[in-house]
Every structure is written in C-alpha cells, then in structure tokens.
Amino acid sequence: MSELTRRNFIVAGAGLTAASIFSSSVFALNKPKEKLGVALVGLGYYSTDLLAPALQLTQNCYLAGIVTGSPDKAETWKKKYNIPEKNIYNYKNFDQIANNPDIDVVYVVLPPSMHAEYTIRAANAGKHVFCEKPMALNVSECEAMIKACKDNKKSLSIGYRCQHDPNTQEFMRMAREKPMGKARLVSCAAGYFDGRTAHWKQKKAMGGGSMYDMGVYALQGARLAIGEEPILVTAQHINNRPDIYHEVDETTAFQLHFPSGALATCTGSFGIQSNFLKVDYEKGKLFIEPFSSYRGNKGVSTLGEINFPIENQQAQQMDDDALTIMQNRPQMVPGEEGMRDIRVVEAIYQAAKKGGSVKLA
C-alpha cells in the first residue's frame, strides 16, 4: 500500500469511526423509553388509594411526579414513593412541567369542573393526557380538550377502567358479533350510599351529581352492551336527601332508545347501592353483577359463565394506554368516547328538567 493510499485509508477509517460514534449517540438520544413517566394531578382518594398503588404494578409506565396544592401531601408522597423534588408541582407552577423530560403523561384526577383546564394545559405543555371520567361538564369542553391534544400531537385517553376489564370486553364482543342476536332490552344500575355532606360531588359548580359520577357507568353499560348510540332519552331525578342534594341530583333514572329498537332503563345513584347489568337478546340473556366494580366483576349468559379475573384494573388501564402511546396507535378509549357519553348526559339533564324526552342527533 502506497503512503498516499495508507493515509487516505486512515482518514477514511477515522471518519467512519466518528460517524459510527455520532450515529450511536443520536440513536441513544432518540431511543424510545421503556416506561413512560406519569404525573398524577390531584392527590385525593382515587390517586392515593388506587392509582399510586397501581403504578407500582405497571410494566409500561411508572409514577414519575405529582401535582398538588398541599405541601403536606407533597412531602408525604415524596418520601413514600421516592419522587424527586424537581418532579413535584403545584397548580401555580404546573405549566413548568413542559420542561421536565421525566414526565411523559399527565393524569388528570381532579373534580370534573377542572378536567378541561388541566387537560388543555397539559397538552400545551407537550404531555400526553389520561383524564378521569366524566370527561368534562359539557360537549364544548370535550371538543376543546380533543382539539388541544390533536393540535399538540398528543394522545388523550379517558379513564374508563372497565373497558380494559375482560369481563366488560366480553359483553362488548357480544354486541359486535351477536352470538345471541341483537340486544333488545338492557337494565343497568350503578350506585352507592354516599353519607358525606360537603364533598365536591354535592357541589354543582365542581361537576357533582350522581349522573356525572355513577350514572356514566350505567350509561356505558347500556351503550357498550347494545353497541349503538342512543337517539332519544327520558329521565327523572329523585332526591331523598334535599338537605344534602339541593344543588345536584342524588339519583337519576334514565331511559334510552336506540336505532335498532333496543331500549335501556338505567340508574345512577348516591343513595342506592346497585351494580348490575342485565341484557335480553333475541336468543338469550346475560347478567353481570357486579359489572363495574374495581375487581371481581363476573356473571353468566345463556352461552355460559363470564368470569375473567383481572389483577388490577387501574394498572391494566394505564399499561394499555402507555403502550398505545409508545406504539403510536389510537387509544382504546379516546376523548371522542368520553364526549359521546357527555353528549348523552347533557340530554339526560335536559330531559329531567323539562319532564319530557330529548332527541339526540
């Protein structure tokens, strides 16, 4: 090899080595995360007792940060979950979360009146969003939330944990595949006795009321079991404790008419303990009780038992949604699904107020 050729070879080799190092560095910087960091916004019961413990079980995401207005809670969570100080925010400095690469997803676990604001702010900060149900107070807020996430190219998923439960997925399958024919009549109820007197669920301005909270479960049960969207609703409010439920509904009974002719009678309540789904099909029946609990949902149909145990609904939900983000796929329960419910909820409140029926487009 001539001296000129040898020199060219050495220079070329050095260039290749540098290029390889540079490529490896770029690849390392762009390598997808193995787990997404989740920040919980609002540290009430659901975050404290359910979501935080569930995030200790997840495979695709982890508890990376918190947002709270309580310094005492911040300190407790910091110690319990080893959360770095830089990943702890309050409601005033929340928007600075945009500068934190540890946090990929913001999970909005606040009263419904705050869902739209913090979903939009999270999306504008460049974060994906998980938002608890009900999605928002009205359709306009839902539309604004969906738009903010789309404009920022961020994912939006609504926290309908039951849709991640295989027992719910089984009656959804029956609605699609119709092994017993079409659903003709559905009865569904979700409720518990709430003895509190000054909780946000009893305050209208904060998004309280049984229809927003428990009624949405019954509405989901009917919609998913029939596999259609209602075209007409009627509804009635029942308040047995007007001293407590003078701003919002204690119990809402509502009836849904569907395009196929199917009917649903449903109840959401803060005064009646109930948790069941019953479906009469053209050629069979289904009964699930409980149908929307955190665990232990099970039932039976003409075709056999429905009992698919799940270790932790919330962990499954967050793992599914995180994996969907990492794989750049549409969410199982996107914002549009949450908005479908809110459109019906608005009609139910209108029907109850005027004492008649309300048509849905």
Side-chain angles (χ1 to χ4, degrees):
M1 183 181 293
S2 68
E3 185 62 29
L4 180 61
T5 303
R6 185 180 294 107
R7 188 180 300 116
N8 289 343
F9 178 80
I10 292 170
V11 170
L16 286 170
T17 301
S20 299
I21 293 171
F22 177 76
S23 297
S24 298
S25 300
V26 170
F27 178 78
L29 288 172
N30 295 327
K31 184 180 179 181
K33 286 187 173 182
E34 294 182 0
K35 284 189 173 187
L36 299 184
V38 176
L40 297 176
V41 184
L43 305 183
Y45 160 75
Y46 198 68
S47 285
T48 301
D49 289 16
L50 295 161
L51 293 178
L55 281 163
Q56 310 313 302
L57 306 174
T58 45
Q59 303 299 312
N60 301 321
C61 54
Y62 69 100
L63 179 59
I66 54 175
V67 181
T68 178
S70 169
D72 290 342
K73 284 185 179 180
E75 191 61 28
T76 298
W77 281 62
K78 176 183 175 181
K79 292 177 180 177
K80 184 173 182 179
Y81 294 108
N82 196 29
I83 299 173
E85 184 68 37
K86 66 184 182 66
N87 292 358
I88 298 175
Y89 297 86
N90 57 50
Y91 298 111
K92 292 182 179 179
N93 66 11
F94 171 80
D95 300 300
Q96 294 176 20
I97 208 167
N99 304 316
N100 193 331
D102 291 350
I103 296 170
D104 305 287
V105 180
V106 166
Y107 197 149
V108 180
V109 201
L110 296 164
S113 60
M114 304 171 76
H115 287 186
E117 176 187 351
Y118 280 88
T119 292
I120 292 169
R121 288 172 68 178
N124 289 339
K127 305 302 178 182
H128 301 288
V129 181
F130 299 162
C131 178
E132 256 314 300
K133 66 87 193 157
M135 182 175 174
L137 297 183
N138 52 60
V139 170
S140 295
E141 287 186 348
C142 294
E143 290 173 337
M145 294 160 72
I146 292 169
K147 183 178 186 301
C149 290
K150 286 185 175 178
D151 287 350
N152 288 285
K153 295 181 172 57
K154 295 301 169 183
S155 176
L156 171 60
S157 180
I158 308 304
Y160 286 119
R161 55 183 170 75
C162 289
Q163 290 202 32
H164 299 263
D165 187 315
N167 297 283
T168 299
Q169 291 170 0
E170 177 63 6
F171 68 76
M172 291 174 67
R173 181 190 70 81
M174 291 181 178
R176 291 193 307 272
E177 299 178 6
K178 299 177 175 55
M180 293 181 283
K182 294 180 180 179
R184 307 310 299 157
L185 180 65
V186 168
S187 180
C188 192
Y192 68 98
F193 185 85
D194 194 328
R196 294 171 294 190
T197 60
H199 193 263
W200 66 258
K201 290 185 180 183
Q202 282 117 24
K203 301 180 187 299
K204 184 176 180 179
M206 299 185 75
S210 64
M211 188 61 225
Y212 275 119
D213 190 52
M214 302 309 293
V216 166
Y217 287 116
L219 173 57
Q220 279 269 302
R223 287 183 50 246
L224 300 180
I226 294 172
E228 300 175 2
E229 298 304 317
I231 56 175
L232 183 142
V233 304
T234 53
Q236 306 81 37
H237 293 321
I238 302 98
N239 284 1
N240 291 319
R241 292 175 288 167
D243 56 322
I244 299 172
Y245 291 95
H246 54 275
E247 290 188 15
V248 300
D249 49 307
E250 178 191 44
T251 297
T252 295
F254 56 100
Q255 303 77 43
L256 309 172
H257 297 240
F258 292 84
S260 64
L263 301 174
T265 60
C266 306
T267 305
S269 181
F270 288 148
I272 303 170
Q273 185 74 35
S274 55
N275 193 330
F276 69 85
L277 170 69
K278 180 183 177 183
V279 186
D280 288 288
Y281 301 93
E282 292 172 310
K283 297 177 287 185
K285 298 177 182 294
L286 173 147
F287 184 72
I288 300 181
E289 187 178 25
F291 89 100
S292 62
S293 290
Y294 293 146
R295 59 182 58 82
N297 296 319
K298 61 182 179 179
V300 65
S301 79
T302 302
L303 302 178
E305 185 181 26
I306 299 171
N307 187 5
F308 303 99
I310 181 170
E311 181 181 356
N312 187 294
Q313 280 184 351
Q314 287 83 3
Q316 186 66 54
Q317 168 202 328
M318 292 185 285
D319 260 344
D320 287 347
D321 291 346
L323 184 62
T324 294
I325 291 170
M326 290 189 285
Q327 294 180 345
N328 196 29
R329 294 185 287 109
Q331 284 289 359
M332 181 187 297
V333 191
E336 288 78 5
E337 171 70 350
M339 184 166 66
R340 280 189 279 270
D341 275 346
I342 296 303
R343 180 172 283 114
V344 181
V345 169
E346 284 192 290
I348 287 168
Y349 275 118
Q350 291 171 16
K353 183 177 182 179
K354 75 176 191 176
S357 61
V358 172
K359 291 184 178 179
L360 290 155

